[in-house]
Amino acid sequence: GRDYNDPLWNDLLDKMSYEETCVFLQNGLRVTNSVPSIAAPATSQQNGALAPVHSHEWGELIKQSDYQGFVVQKDPANKGKLPPVFVCNGIVASSYNTDLALRLGEQQGEEAAWAGYHGMYGLGVNIHRGAYCGRTFEYYSEDGYLTGVAAGYQTVGYHKLGVFVLLKHAVLNDQETHRAGLNVWANEQTIREIYCRAMEIAIEIDREMTPTTVIGVMTGMNRLGAKWTGGQGFCNTVLKAEFGMRGYVVSDYNSSRLYMSPIQGVLNGNDLPDGQTSGWAGGRDYDGNNIK
């Protein structure tokens, strides 16, 4: 319940060692790792823009946070079942019904808590720029305002159930094929009026309706111009300073992608990499270069 700018947070962070901080900021593969010195528990995130998709006894959960959801306590006979399938976000937006979007978010938050997830890598708030984007089903519409309203009310539903949301992907992640390192070009007016508008509205709605807002954002694998989105600086200057976002920023999947520098990310507001930055293949990048 403490305010985001309460100086007590500095006292808490000062109790973490430099080594703990470095380890914490280098590995965020669908998890925030525990920090023993400040008694911070680990959390587990579902990687999906609609709702939980893994079975209630998915093996990764116990590795991530040692929590397997209410199903283990309340309904162990059905712990191996999959969560229900929900409609795509385009259908949610086409209903033009904010009450329904909020109720949908509540139900999806219930499923996440039941399955063992503290947070959701979603909702998808990119823009429908073309019919052939592989993630179109995750996004709401071609309109930034409609997208922001639908996502905002759905987010409030999640937060009512205590499940936090990381809107994705910030920003201009409009192509799925060959998306890693993709260069996207646009002027600031276009980015603000269309692409950032969706996140701005969703953050505003959540801030008004959720007493202690916990909405966050995931950046993309793409570049804005020549620079990776997580290193652009808009995470601090726009999302946090202007829009009032108070959650954390996680990257899109990042293991061994050198252009998605975790140091560059932290300095510019991308708090955590979704991955293990030392790489999966013995500390080498995708081209076989040593990055230890």
Side-chain angles (χ1 to χ4, degrees):
R2 291 282 181 176
D3 182 76
Y4 182 80
N5 294 308
D6 192 311
L8 192 61
W9 289 113
N10 291 327
D11 294 339
L12 181 72
L13 293 174
D14 287 344
K15 295 182 182 298
M16 292 176 60
S17 68
Y18 177 77
E19 290 74 18
E20 275 185 315
T21 305
C22 290
V23 170
F24 181 81
L25 294 175
Q26 289 185 64
N27 183 2
L29 185 60
R30 297 158 202 162
V31 64
T32 59
N33 287 308
S34 62
V35 184
S37 65
I38 58 172
T43 67
S44 180
Q45 283 68 257
Q46 164 67 57
N47 186 26
L50 300 178
V53 296
H54 294 109
S55 71
H56 294 153
E57 60 175 357
W58 190 47
E60 290 296 316
L61 283 170
I62 199 69
K63 298 177 187 177
Q64 291 176 343
S65 67
D66 199 30
Y67 172 65
Q68 291 183 288
F70 295 130
V71 68
V72 175
Q73 305 169 22
K74 307 292 186 181
D75 190 20
N78 291 309
K79 65 181 182 180
K81 290 187 176 181
L82 292 169
V85 176
F86 293 92
V87 299
C88 69
N89 286 338
I91 294 176
V92 177
S94 66
S95 73
Y96 296 96
N97 189 324
T98 54
D99 291 336
L100 189 61
L102 194 152
R103 287 168 54 199
L104 177 62
E106 288 179 340
Q107 183 59 49
Q108 292 171 329
E110 177 84 15
E111 294 297 335
W114 202 258
Y117 295 102
H118 305 88
M120 176 66 61
Y121 280 1
L123 304 156
V125 291
N126 288 121
I127 301 299
H128 290 181
R129 290 192 65 184
Y132 301 108
C133 174
R135 293 282 184 101
T136 299
F137 73 99
E138 293 187 356
Y139 307 145
Y140 292 88
S141 76
E142 73 283 359
D143 182 82
Y145 178 80
L146 177 59
T147 296
V149 171
Y153 279 91
Q154 202 169 340
T155 293
V156 171
Y158 268 98
H159 289 169
K160 281 189 173 183
L161 273 294
V163 178
F164 62 86
V165 167
L166 296 164
L167 302 172
K168 65 182 187 183
H169 309 78
V171 62
L172 279 83
N173 182 71
D174 300 311
Q175 175 177 312
E176 183 66 12
T177 303
H178 304 305
R179 64 192 173 117
L182 176 73
N183 298 78
V184 182
W185 304 89
N187 60 29
E188 183 176 352
Q189 180 179 357
T190 303
I191 294 172
R192 284 182 174 274
E193 290 183 354
I194 302 173
Y195 302 95
C196 280
R197 184 67 171 146
M199 287 174 284
E200 180 181 14
I201 293 172
I203 291 167
E204 181 180 337
I205 290 171
D206 182 67
R207 190 172 61 243
E208 290 178 357
M209 299 183 66
T210 305
T212 306
T213 182
V214 287
I215 197 170
V217 162
M218 173 187 282
T219 53
M221 290 181 183
N222 58 303
R223 294 178 169 98
L224 299 182
K227 194 172 184 181
W228 169 52
T229 54
Q232 280 286 343
F234 74 91
C235 301
N236 282 330
T237 60
V238 177
L239 294 178
K240 297 176 183 177
E242 290 189 34
F243 296 170
M245 190 197 78
R246 292 295 178 256
Y248 70 96
V249 180
V250 67
S251 77
D252 203 346
Y253 179 65
N254 178 20
S255 281
S256 306
R257 290 190 169 92
L258 297 183
Y259 74 96
M260 296 170 68
S261 163
I263 297 174
Q264 186 185 61
V266 168
L267 292 175
N268 290 282
N270 194 118
D271 305 300
L272 196 66
D274 175 28
Q276 296 167 322
T277 53
S278 61
W280 288 105
R284 298 182 181 276
D285 68 13
Y286 286 105
D287 297 320
N289 301 307
N290 192 321
I291 59 173
K292 289 183 179 178

